[in-house]
Amino acid sequence: MDWFAGLNVLSLESRRSEEMETLIRKYGGAPQVAPSMREVKLDLTAPLAQFERDLLAGDIHAVACLTGVGTRMFLKELAARDPRHLETLQAVPFVSRGNKPAQALKTFGLSSTQVAKPSTWHEVTEHLLSTLTRGQHAVILEYGEAIPGAMLRELGYAGIRVTSVPVYRCAFPQDPTLLARAVRDVVLGGPDILLLSSGTQILHFLKYAEKLGLLEEARAGLNRLVVVSIGPACSEAAADLGLRIDLEANPHKMGILVRMAAEHAPGIIAGRLGRVG
């Protein structure tokens, strides 16, 4: 099998950019990896103080963990304030949006219930609605972007009190040169395939395109690409931004994402060219 067969493959991966480039080359692609974001840790002093007060008062009835990174950051700082908090948390139900937050909890000696697949905020909301009663209190550890307003509204309608804790935010990379080049290359029709491993990646790509005055041209360019998503949460976020997803990795891992794209994207491209012809 020729896999990518030399096609140009764009990835917006940041944290694991070198690994992504290696994987694309392994499957015969010409990689263009343009880091699209960096994680900016927020000051947790006030949220941690409030969490401590609620925890000691027995007024936390569930903690929803949406990412491994955010969960690990939060618990590390909480334990630094008082290691005994981890013992108290043993009595608090934790909800994980997938395997990564569950693994992060496990490193602190905490167990959790993983929501059903596809493990989006919808499943987290459904779990909280089914396990909490009116007046109870859920703490949600946010991820790179603010949690969806629809999630807060659904829980609010059920009378569940929600505290949303922003642990970190995603900002543009300190050096956006590669991201800017990627936007311009998409406009000019350079890449053939786009790999997405988070919804924030495409959000930042579009925001930077707007900053460059190329938003509409970039959207048109994206519509020409075969777009491959790492999983349902990523696909949903991309769809909310008006992007068509052609393939979705299953299981939702980076290696599977690249392999699936290498196996199926060239055929999709050939099919489109055939229809055009």
Side-chain angles (χ1 to χ4, degrees):
M1 179 178 286
D2 289 336
W3 299 108
F4 283 125
L7 291 170
N8 296 315
V9 183
L10 172 63
S11 166
L12 303 174
E13 178 63 32
S14 300
R15 195 186 312 142
R16 300 168 66 186
S17 57
E18 290 183 6
E19 181 182 349
M20 177 62 85
E21 182 171 346
T22 299
L23 282 167
I24 294 170
R25 288 191 191 281
K26 173 185 173 181
Y27 286 102
Q32 179 178 3
V33 181
S36 55
M37 58 189 184
R38 60 188 169 92
E39 292 160 355
V40 178
K41 185 178 172 299
L42 302 180
D43 183 0
L44 291 175
T45 304
L48 283 168
Q50 184 60 56
F51 187 90
E52 281 181 314
R53 289 192 290 270
D54 291 339
L55 181 64
L56 297 175
D59 191 33
I60 297 177
H61 303 100
V63 178
C65 303
L66 303 184
T67 67
V69 173
T71 301
R72 195 172 287 107
M73 282 183 182
F74 183 82
L75 290 176
K76 183 177 179 181
E77 292 214 13
L78 183 68
R81 292 170 73 95
D82 188 338
R84 292 173 297 179
H85 289 328
L86 295 178
E87 284 184 42
T88 309
L89 283 172
Q90 297 283 347
V92 176
F94 279 85
V95 184
S96 296
R97 194 196 67 143
N99 188 54
K100 289 183 180 178
Q103 289 299 320
L105 286 166
K106 194 175 289 187
T107 63
F108 289 87
L110 299 168
S111 59
S112 65
T113 299
Q114 288 190 52
V115 299
K117 292 182 178 180
S119 307
T120 68
W121 66 267
H122 295 286
E123 286 73 36
V124 175
T125 304
E126 288 172 10
H127 180 87
L128 293 174
L129 289 172
S130 67
T131 56
L132 299 182
T133 58
R134 183 172 291 274
Q136 288 192 313
H137 180 205
V139 174
I140 301 175
L141 303 184
E142 286 186 8
Y143 48 114
E145 301 294 329
I147 62 175
M151 182 180 190
L152 295 176
R153 287 193 297 273
E154 285 188 41
L155 294 170
Y157 292 152
I160 296 169
R161 294 179 291 124
V162 176
T163 298
S164 177
V165 179
V167 181
Y168 68 96
R169 283 285 181 262
C170 291
F172 287 127
Q174 286 186 320
D175 181 0
T177 303
L178 293 177
L179 181 58
R181 183 184 302 162
V183 170
R184 294 189 176 96
D185 285 350
V186 166
V187 170
L188 294 172
D192 302 297
I193 300 161
L194 172 63
L195 305 181
L196 292 176
S197 47
S198 83
T200 306
Q201 292 174 358
I202 193 61
L203 174 64
H204 277 219
F205 179 90
L206 291 171
K207 281 185 175 179
Y208 209 80
E210 184 174 29
K211 187 174 181 178
L212 295 173
L214 294 171
L215 180 58
E216 293 310 311
E217 295 89 340
R219 282 190 175 279
L222 289 170
N223 283 333
R224 292 191 291 270
L225 304 183
V226 173
V227 182
V228 190
S229 157
I230 200 166
C234 177
S235 298
E236 181 181 53
D240 287 345
L241 294 166
L243 191 67
R244 180 199 66 250
I245 297 295
D246 297 293
L247 297 166
E248 185 176 283
N250 188 15
H252 317 308
K253 299 179 183 296
M254 183 184 287
I256 301 298
L257 169 71
V258 180
R259 182 187 173 95
M260 175 176 281
E263 186 173 358
H264 297 289
I268 294 174
I269 292 170
R272 288 178 183 172
L273 291 174
R275 286 196 295 273
V276 170

